[in-house]
Amino acid sequence: MKELTKTMGLNDCTIDFLDNPAKMLINGEWVSAQSGETFKTINPADGSFLNEIPLAGIADVNKAVNAAKKSFETVWNNTTTPADRASLLWKLADLMERDKQILMELETLDNGKPLEKARYDVDSSINHFRYYSGWATKIEGNTLPVANDSIAFTKREPLGVTGLIVPWNFPLMIASWKLAPALACGNCCVLKPAEQTSLSALYLGKLIEEAGFPDGVVNIITGPGLPTGQAISSHMNIDKISFTGSTKVGRQIMEAAARSNLKKVSLELGGKSPNIIFEDANLDHVFESIVWSSFYNTGQECTLGSRIYVQRSIYQKVVDILKTKADSLKINKGMLNPDLGPMISESQLQTVLKYIDIGINEGAELITGGKRIQGELGNGYFIEPTIFAHQNDQLQIVQEEIFGPVVVISSFDTFDEVVARANNSIYGLAAAVWTNDISKAHRFANEVQSGTVWINGYDMFDPSVPFGGFKQSGIGKEMGKSAIELYTKEKTVWIGLKD
Ligand code: NAD
């Protein structure tokens, strides 16, 4: 590993981290799987081996849950004060700031994303820990207006042990979206990163240890959906699952929760977000945004603006400019900091190629892209940004989430038509509208069925702003005050005042 990675100019700590076989964090100890089983994590830019990762089985999950339960009962929700929790979260953010370069490099190597995009992810993760550090001391209940012979008030209590299951597209960031509020609210955690991208979560575990979190408060276990993820979702002593991933697995998580202990479930799932451009929009702003809303993270983004609708008078202009911009995107290994890196895996690449074939066979017009990139980048999972034009919303490529750099674009005539078409989806994660008519923008925000609406912008995020999907895009909202509600339960207390 040393020889290979030195040629990339990696930080020495990144090299050391990769040179030692990975271990999981359970009850404050770094351990292998009890079975001794492991799996390999690879660099999607060239298919090269990065590290051997423990494959956790049911016994490891049990151990992690027992540790979390014990810490919850004896320390984290007992002797630790909200102010202690706030200062630990802030300290963790400081350590992440110190080791930002290492976290960025691990994310880029493991996931493939360009180094500067990994910087955005790490910065956003740090912001999340800082934001929820502030919340730890401000989680309040209410006093309620009951009759004079009694008092009623509510308290917000932590749920207990939370299982946090994370996807591979924004590994550190989505882990942070879950860990920060769960810990601020006083829960203990069993975090499972996706099997494709375990490294940044494991490195975060080192920082959690260094920050001084008590043993067992955060446990990090690694492995695939089966058996590891399923052992979490069906565990009798886990009180809540927070899951981000595909709608298909989201269903399985709900089912497992229902069949086991009816644990609380929040789901952040897939999307097929409409990006709508009216003829009165500021086109300079549209053109700055559209290439990123269409292809960011090589299209592996739940909020991708993958269904573009353009009002007829400007349709051809938008198609031409989007094509020019897509064709000029620099695609390369993430460590070279291109615009787009590879896809996460051969199988995800094949899924996307299959959808491209489907689009061609369905009769959509291929405007650009559509092919795997071979040649110098041949060992990695690279693919051309792809645009299809169509006039039929029933096509499979219009209805289904592709999760790659593929967008479909179509023209429309009227407001009512485009709102109906935007809402013609099983998903409802996000939507964007571009117009200089404030009334039209607000009418769109009222009528579109999606958890987030962006007006004259795209992919705007902040830790204080709730995010989550409608319809089959999810249940519950993360971020902001909403996440405090997600990771606490409301208890009602009555006091009788009679003599
Ligand atoms: P995935 O559903 O395949 O896997 C997500 C996680 O679930 C992984 O950690 C995986 O190991 C685990 N898992 C798989 N099967 C499981 C099971 N039976 N029980 C428990 N855990 C299981 O998703 P992915 O391929 O990693 O990510 C892509 C999907 O995630 C896309 O659909 C995307 O839209 C969605 N996503 C949504 C958001 C959001 O905020 N709404 C954000 C990012 C990604």
Side-chain angles (χ1 to χ4, degrees):
M1 174 57 61
K2 275 206 161 89
E3 285 320 304
L4 180 72
T5 47
K6 262 182 195 158
T7 60
M8 297 181 191
L10 293 175
N11 187 297
D12 284 346
C13 296
T14 308
I15 298 174
D16 278 350
F17 188 72
L18 293 174
D19 269 343
N20 293 304
K23 295 269 170 69
M24 304 184 284
L25 180 62
I26 299 182
N27 202 21
E29 288 177 6
W30 291 95
V31 297
S32 305
Q34 289 184 38
S35 66
E37 276 187 82
T38 59
F39 62 98
K40 292 184 193 329
T41 195
I42 57 152
N43 181 349
D46 54 15
S48 64
F49 168 78
L50 287 174
N51 210 336
E52 203 76 45
I53 310 284
L55 196 162
I58 292 175
D60 303 294
V61 172
N62 284 341
K63 203 170 148 201
V65 175
N66 289 342
K69 190 167 183 319
K70 185 158 170 247
S71 293
F72 178 75
E73 288 164 358
T74 59
V75 186
W76 198 238
N77 189 38
N78 190 332
T79 53
T80 312
T81 65
D84 295 335
R85 293 201 292 267
S87 90
L88 283 165
L89 286 166
W90 195 272
K91 180 134 190 239
L92 176 59
D94 285 346
L95 295 174
M96 292 170 77
E97 191 81 63
R98 183 196 70 191
D99 288 0
K100 192 185 288 185
Q101 184 66 24
I102 303 163
L103 287 164
M104 284 163 55
E105 289 175 4
L106 290 173
E107 204 73 320
T108 289
L109 290 171
D110 214 11
N111 166 279
K113 66 180 64 200
L115 203 55
E116 283 309 308
K117 304 292 188 281
R119 182 190 302 281
Y120 172 84
D121 289 10
V122 180
D123 282 340
S124 161
S125 307
I126 293 168
N127 284 342
H128 255 79
F129 283 107
R130 294 216 165 111
Y131 173 80
Y132 283 105
S133 161
W135 264 107
T137 49
K138 296 166 195 71
I139 300 170
E140 298 171 345
N142 293 312
T143 312
L144 301 150
V146 294
N148 283 343
D149 61 355
S150 54
I151 293 175
F153 65 91
T154 59
K155 304 169 68 183
R156 286 230 156 245
E157 296 184 348
L159 298 166
V161 179
T162 57
L164 313 177
I165 302 182
V166 172
W168 45 257
N169 57 343
F170 294 95
L172 182 71
M173 201 166 88
I174 293 179
S176 306
W177 289 3
K178 299 187 186 306
L179 275 174
L183 292 168
C185 291
N187 300 285
C188 289
C189 304
V190 176
L191 170 71
K192 191 195 89 59
E195 57 274 32
Q196 297 85 348
T197 52
S198 309
L199 295 177
S200 56
L202 293 176
Y203 193 84
L204 185 70
K206 293 205 169 294
L207 301 183
I208 286 169
E209 194 182 27
E210 187 181 340
F213 281 81
D215 293 348
V217 170
V218 179
N219 303 274
I220 304 175
I221 58 168
T222 45
L226 290 176
T228 322
Q230 197 187 54
I232 296 173
S233 56
S234 56
H235 204 287
M236 293 301 286
N237 283 332
I238 289 186
D239 302 289
K240 180 203 164 64
I241 296 282
S242 172
F243 170 79
T244 301
S246 59
T247 297
K248 176 174 160 233
V249 174
R251 278 201 177 85
Q252 292 168 359
I253 302 266
M254 273 196 102
E255 223 178 292
R259 283 185 200 284
S260 54
N261 60 343
L262 270 180
K263 53 180 71 65
K264 310 268 173 295
V265 175
S266 56
L267 305 173
E268 297 284 356
L269 306 176
K272 190 83 182 178
S273 300
N275 188 10
I276 289 161
I277 306 162
F278 282 97
E279 60 194 3
D280 60 5
N282 179 328
L283 287 185
D284 290 342
H285 293 171
V286 170
F287 294 141
E288 265 169 47
S289 155
I290 196 168
V291 72
W292 295 114
S293 58
S294 302
F295 302 117
Y296 192 76
N297 213 36
T298 315
Q300 303 164 120
E301 195 197 13
C302 53
T303 55
L304 197 76
S306 50
R307 288 188 292 145
I308 305 174
Y309 293 101
V310 188
Q311 203 156 20
R312 194 175 300 278
S313 64
I314 55 166
Y315 173 74
Q316 199 51 49
K317 184 173 180 183
V318 173
V319 170
D320 293 344
I321 290 184
L322 179 59
K323 175 182 172 354
T324 306
K325 284 180 177 276
D327 291 345
S328 65
L329 284 169
K330 292 188 206 69
I331 299 166
N332 213 323
K333 299 178 181 189
M335 287 303 295
L336 300 173
N337 204 25
D339 295 318
L340 303 182
M343 306 231 40
I344 188 71
S345 63
E346 178 69 33
S347 79
Q348 191 63 24
L349 177 77
Q350 291 304 330
T351 302
V352 174
L353 289 170
K354 186 195 80 188
Y355 271 111
I356 289 169
D357 276 349
I358 290 172
I360 292 168
N361 292 332
E362 282 179 319
E365 181 192 354
L366 183 64
I367 303 282
T368 194
K371 291 195 293 299
R372 182 176 192 159
I373 300 174
Q374 302 280 346
E376 256 180 52
L377 296 175
N379 290 334
Y381 313 126
F382 294 92
I383 186 167
E384 294 170 344
T386 300
I387 306 168
F388 277 108
H390 73 95
Q391 280 302 334
N392 178 359
D393 289 342
Q394 298 316 313
L395 301 184
Q396 218 178 323
I397 59 164
V398 180
Q399 287 296 325
E400 295 180 14
E401 184 186 49
I402 298 175
F403 223 57
V406 181
V407 285
V408 296
I409 188 163
S410 187
S411 61
F412 71 89
D413 292 303
T414 67
F415 178 89
D416 288 346
E417 173 202 341
V418 80
V419 171
R421 293 176 72 184
N423 287 338
N424 178 13
S425 170
I426 61 164
Y427 295 112
L429 189 58
V433 62
W434 298 83
T435 172
N436 276 338
D437 178 338
I438 191 166
S439 304
K440 198 195 290 175
H442 278 287
R443 270 201 294 139
F444 179 82
N446 283 347
E447 292 183 32
V448 74
Q449 296 158 0
S450 69
T452 293
V453 186
W454 290 299
I455 297 172
N456 295 335
Y458 208 93
D459 267 346
M460 294 181 264
F461 283 94
D462 188 275
S464 66
V465 181
F467 172 73
F470 289 0
K471 301 201 270 188
Q472 293 186 39
S473 289
I475 297 176
K477 288 236 169 184
E478 295 192 310
M479 303 198 205
K481 189 179 175 189
S482 302
I484 301 299
E485 284 155 18
L486 224 50
Y487 289 99
T488 53
K489 55 191 180 221
E490 190 173 46
K491 178 177 276 178
T492 307
V493 182
W494 282 91
I495 309 166
L497 296 181
K498 289 194 180 122
D499 290 339

